[in-house]
Amino acid sequence: MPSFTPRPASARPRTAAPMGLSGKYVRVYPSEIVIPDLEVGVSHLVTIVTVNIDQRPRRIHFKPPSKPEFKLYSVPTGPVAAGLEVHAELEFLPKEDMETVDEVVVVCESDTLRIPVRCTPSRPDLSVTQPMVSFGVVQAGRTAIGGTTFINTGHRMGKFSLPASAGPFSISPHEGTLAAADMPGAAVQIKVEALNREVGQAREIVPIMIDGADSGARLDLSASFVKQSLTLLRMDGG
């Protein structure tokens, strides 16, 4: 009787790309396995489905990833009948908080289908509710106030920072901490002020850093500073 090692009861099921890989004899789902937001010491599971698309029974074999953090659970079988499928479960148990890349290989006679596997650690993911802050027309020498919100949609806390402005705009706070998504403190209100005593157009693109690296997000600040003018009208029309 074929042996089968059951998956750990504590393992956490994960999703994978639904598109399949097709060969001459079999079709394999998913075409790619991506395990995001991995947790060290926690088992993550993905199910692999292989379908015999030929009209004759075919033998199907699975080759597990080479890295020791992976285990592949499957029941050895004989030839798989036409139209039927076999399942395997890939377990990933990370020991370090780092990205891991490998592959699962499905072999059926002349078919060799390779499923890339990529496991990525949790990281902060910055979203800006209003990346463009336009003050419109602002009287020179007066302060206009606007704002936006930074939201962390990632599953790890992160520290944001913005470079000091050399122009007429000031941002506060210019640094701070965003808690992980869905936690208190995952959103921070950002205040932006525009003040210029000179007349003219002003625009500044401000990069937003997360944990010391460029997040890719930007604040686009703009204002048109004008001089106030008063026109006195005489009631007699003179």
Side-chain angles (χ1 to χ4, degrees):
M1 183 174 182
S3 61
F4 174 63
T5 305
R7 71 182 186 184
S10 61
R12 177 176 301 181
R14 307 308 295 254
T15 58
M19 299 296 291
L21 295 173
S22 293
K24 182 178 179 181
Y25 304 114
V26 294
R27 182 176 294 120
V28 179
Y29 302 92
S31 58
E32 179 184 15
I33 295 174
V34 178
I35 302 178
D37 301 324
L38 62 85
E39 296 182 44
V40 174
V42 176
S43 294
H44 305 263
L45 286 175
V46 175
T47 299
I48 301 169
V49 180
T50 303
V51 182
N52 180 4
I53 59 175
D54 194 34
Q55 296 181 353
R56 298 174 54 189
R58 298 289 177 180
R59 292 185 179 275
I60 299 172
H61 303 281
F62 296 92
K63 293 184 179 180
S66 60
K67 293 184 172 61
E69 294 87 353
F70 293 99
K71 290 183 179 179
L72 191 67
Y73 302 100
S74 64
V75 178
T77 64
V80 178
L84 296 187
E85 62 188 39
V86 291
H87 293 195
E89 287 192 326
L90 178 68
E91 178 196 5
F92 177 62
L93 181 59
K95 299 178 181 179
E96 297 181 78
D97 190 23
M98 60 181 295
E99 183 171 88
T100 304
V101 177
D102 213 310
E103 66 177 8
V104 175
V105 181
V106 180
V107 179
C108 179
E109 300 192 20
S110 62
D111 283 349
T112 300
L113 303 180
R114 301 180 182 277
I115 307 173
V117 180
R118 182 165 59 90
C119 309
T120 59
S122 300
R123 55 173 59 90
D125 187 7
L126 178 68
S127 174
V128 182
T129 58
Q130 186 178 342
M132 297 183 65
V133 181
S134 176
F135 291 93
V137 176
V138 180
Q139 181 181 335
R142 294 286 184 89
T143 300
I145 300 175
T148 186
T149 304
F150 292 173
I151 302 175
N152 181 11
T153 59
H155 290 85
R156 173 173 293 182
M157 64 172 288
K159 295 183 178 180
F160 72 88
S161 60
L162 302 102
S165 172
F169 304 104
S170 61
I171 303 171
S172 62
H174 67 277
E175 63 181 19
T177 299
L178 292 167
D182 303 323
M183 297 292 290
V188 173
Q189 299 291 326
I190 302 298
K191 180 181 178 181
V192 184
E193 295 182 329
L195 172 62
N196 196 358
R197 301 189 183 280
E198 303 295 328
V199 174
Q201 302 286 333
R203 185 184 182 193
E204 187 172 351
I205 307 297
V206 182
I208 306 172
M209 312 296 284
I210 290 289
D211 292 338
D214 191 343
S215 69
R218 299 288 185 268
L219 282 181
D220 187 344
L221 312 178
S222 63
S224 178
F225 296 94
V226 298
K227 182 181 295 186
Q228 183 183 34
S229 61
L230 296 176
T231 302
L232 300 179
L233 299 178
R234 294 177 55 178
M235 298 303 293
D236 59 5

